[in-house]
Amino acid sequence: MLRIKRVPTVVSNYQKEETEDGGGGGGCGRNCMRDCCLLGAKLPLYAFKKADKIEPGDKKEPPFAFLDSLLLGEWEDRVERGLFRYDAFIFYSSFISCFDITACETKVIPGDYGFIAQLNEGRHLKKRPTEFRVDKVLQPFDGSTFNFTKVGQEEILFQFESSKDGEVKFYPNAPIDVKSSPSVVAINVSPIEYGHVLLIPRILECLPQRIDHDSLLLALYMANEAANPYFRLGYNSLGAFATINHLHFQAYYLAVPFPIEKSPTKKVTDFSGGVVISEILKYPVRGLVFEGGYSLEDLSNAVTDSCVCLQDNNIPYNVLISDSGTRVFLLPQCYAEKQALGEVSPELLDTQVNPAVWEISGHMVLKRKQDYDGASEDNAWRLLAEVSLSEERFQEVVAIIFEAISCAVIEDKSVHDEDERDVEDVDALENASQQAIIVAG
């Protein structure tokens, strides 16, 4: 059993160590998301329209601005109400002053990639180190530890659900339907950037940190509703620096490109539904990029099948959702495993950087002033290179993914009429899988 000691990030004001919280029961008196406080509770509800097709240049203007008026507006309200653990107002000030990212001790590191360094000393304070198991990507949900049903309702910005009548709707005061287990958007009380929030699918079902088709599609719809390339969503699996085993995605707004978004790619294959799968080139972390698709559901299916494959094969990974939900990066990683095995240099361990999805994408959240002052492209590259799978192992993982998703395509087509394009999709995946196996061998 591989474990590492790490100071977990506090995402809620109600987050405590398990020994202090104990799971509790009965009326807690803090307006949480459990049975004791849900009777008669109401929250804003944003109902999005499920799109049949991806139409990036022809998006109908919704009756309510999702990103600017709702998400960021509600987030700023929580700033003013003092719900954050440290001065999140600095991010708000940064945003409204012409995107002056240097206002919150953030800088673009000189070099070809434009890695972003941020000094955020507050995120590793006030919590004692806790042992995290890093050798199992799938672990059962444990209600006795912190989970998102224990957050206060004041930390939740709104419910996020698909519209029942096919039109975008906003209800400022909608009842919480316990039976349908709503998906919600909540603040991260330890933000690393402006508008840092959590998307928690079907919160009351208490799902473990495990991507499924419904949850990833929901995340793509959230990115699509934001309709802004600078608003991204990220996902960390267990073993890849997720610290809370309750299904959630993170998201925030950063008005500069991530280095990984600028990296060149090489097309590997086409997937069912018009999705193109490519390999990231000339970047310290090896990974795949999924783009296109005739609908968000097509793109979601390709990514989800790949994530399920990694989960079932116990391979930790991170996901970045970019370009308003039309581009998804899938990044298997091994840093926590190396850390547990004692294979990471003391120099890198001393930085206390947990290379999760944001760091892997090129937004380096640094916890020591000395690391921030000495931030360089070489240092960023050296850290991220330790995160990446070796070329040989990466090709093995790609072969496993392609075998799994080609089987998924074949299984799906067995219950539908096949047309010529579908057969070509399956053939392309099988050929790509064989090529990956040859390279790995």
Side-chain angles (χ1 to χ4, degrees):
M1 183 184 298
L2 296 179
R3 292 180 177 269
I4 60 173
K5 287 188 176 181
R6 188 164 75 247
V7 177
T9 300
V10 178
V11 298
S12 167
N13 289 313
Y14 298 100
Q15 187 172 344
K16 299 178 181 179
E17 301 294 348
E18 304 96 76
T19 55
E20 296 175 10
D21 190 276
C28 67
R30 65 187 192 187
N31 202 31
C32 70
M33 289 293 291
R34 292 181 286 179
D35 291 343
C36 55
C37 301
L38 281 177
L39 184 63
K42 295 182 178 181
L43 287 169
L45 167 63
Y46 183 93
F48 61 87
K49 177 182 177 180
K50 281 194 171 183
D52 294 329
K53 293 190 260 184
I54 296 179
E55 299 175 342
D58 189 30
K59 187 174 175 65
K60 183 180 177 183
E61 191 69 25
F64 193 90
F66 175 80
L67 181 63
D68 296 334
S69 297
L70 180 56
L71 191 148
L72 298 181
E74 290 293 316
W75 192 87
E76 290 165 8
D77 172 75
R78 299 321 190 268
V79 172
E80 293 173 357
R81 287 162 60 177
L83 296 184
F84 293 89
R85 294 182 67 239
Y86 45 81
D87 191 7
F89 192 78
I90 196 167
F91 300 120
Y92 177 42
S93 301
S94 167
F95 178 80
I96 63 177
S97 60
C98 302
F99 305 107
D100 179 10
I101 60 172
T102 61
C104 55
E105 290 206 83
T106 300
K107 62 186 178 183
V108 176
I109 300 172
D112 296 333
Y113 287 82
F115 288 104
I116 306 145
Q118 180 192 101
L119 178 62
N120 202 326
E121 296 172 290
R123 282 177 69 83
H124 75 297
L125 302 176
K126 303 179 182 178
K127 290 284 283 184
R128 63 176 174 82
T130 304
E131 284 197 346
F132 288 87
R133 186 169 183 177
V134 298
D135 59 346
K136 287 197 70 175
V137 172
L138 298 179
Q139 300 177 35
F141 179 86
D142 182 357
S144 67
T145 62
F146 174 79
N147 62 80
F148 295 114
T149 67
K150 300 181 182 182
V151 306
Q153 291 176 31
E154 71 276 6
E155 294 180 3
I156 296 178
L157 304 184
F158 53 89
Q159 304 175 72
F160 185 66
E161 298 288 342
S162 62
S163 174
K164 294 181 180 179
D165 62 3
E167 296 296 330
V168 175
K169 296 286 181 65
F170 176 69
Y171 305 93
N173 206 24
I176 298 175
D177 187 347
V178 175
K179 290 184 178 180
S180 68
S181 185
S183 300
V184 301
V185 175
I187 60 171
N188 184 329
V189 302
S190 301
I192 64 173
E193 259 304 334
Y194 182 65
H196 194 167
V197 295
L198 306 169
L199 171 64
I200 309 164
R202 311 190 312 273
I203 183 172
L204 302 180
E205 290 185 28
C206 296
L207 303 169
Q209 186 72 343
R210 175 177 187 163
I211 277 182
D212 58 25
H213 283 83
D214 290 339
S215 62
L216 186 68
L217 182 58
L218 185 75
L220 293 183
Y221 271 116
M222 183 173 175
N224 187 250
E225 289 300 309
N228 190 307
Y230 294 131
F231 184 78
R232 294 87 159 188
L233 285 91
Y235 175 88
N236 303 313
S237 78
L238 297 179
F241 296 98
T243 59
I244 296 171
N245 189 21
H246 189 175
L247 181 58
H248 66 286
F249 296 79
Q250 299 189 48
Y252 62 71
Y253 184 100
L254 183 66
V256 293
F258 281 175
I260 199 170
E261 295 172 329
K262 300 184 291 183
S263 297
T265 59
K266 178 182 69 175
K267 179 179 174 179
V268 179
T269 189
D270 296 304
F271 185 71
S272 177
V275 177
V276 175
I277 306 176
S278 304
E279 183 178 336
I280 303 169
L281 303 177
K282 299 180 180 179
Y283 196 74
V285 182
R286 297 176 178 87
L288 297 175
V289 186
F290 297 74
E291 300 176 85
Y294 305 125
S295 69
L296 285 178
E297 189 166 358
D298 288 325
L299 181 58
S300 176
N301 287 340
V303 178
T304 300
D305 289 342
S306 301
C307 292
V308 169
C309 170
L310 294 179
Q311 291 167 170
D312 291 346
N313 284 277
N314 202 34
I315 300 169
Y317 66 93
N318 308 90
V319 173
L320 177 71
I321 299 172
S322 182
D323 289 350
S324 300
T326 62
R327 195 177 189 210
V328 182
F329 297 80
L330 179 59
L331 304 147
Q333 70 142 295
C334 59
Y335 189 88
E337 180 184 0
K338 287 183 178 179
Q339 186 177 352
L341 294 172
E343 297 175 357
V344 179
S345 71
E347 179 186 4
L348 291 179
L349 291 177
D350 287 344
T351 66
Q352 303 177 60
V353 173
N354 299 329
V357 61
W358 307 125
E359 288 78 13
I360 290 174
S361 302
H363 188 187
M364 315 300 295
V365 182
L366 305 174
K367 301 172 182 178
R368 301 189 306 177
K369 187 72 161 61
Q370 65 197 69
D371 297 322
Y372 179 79
D373 291 340
S376 67
E377 186 168 278
D378 287 343
N379 288 343
W381 191 283
R382 185 162 58 252
L383 171 64
L384 295 183
E386 289 293 326
V387 175
S388 181
L389 302 184
S390 67
E391 176 64 26
E392 180 180 10
R393 176 56 177 159
F394 176 69
Q395 294 301 334
E396 290 174 354
V397 170
V398 169
I400 293 170
I401 290 174
F402 284 165
E403 181 178 3
I405 64 179
S406 63
C407 290
V409 172
I410 293 170
E411 181 179 354
D412 181 61
K413 299 314 170 192
S414 68
V415 294
H416 295 86
D417 292 332
E418 291 187 348
D419 59 21
E420 184 176 348
R421 188 187 68 216
D422 294 331
V423 174
E424 290 175 354
D425 288 339
V426 174
D427 289 343
L429 275 170
E430 290 178 338
N431 290 338
S433 179
Q434 289 299 319
Q435 290 171 7
I437 292 171
I438 292 170
V439 171

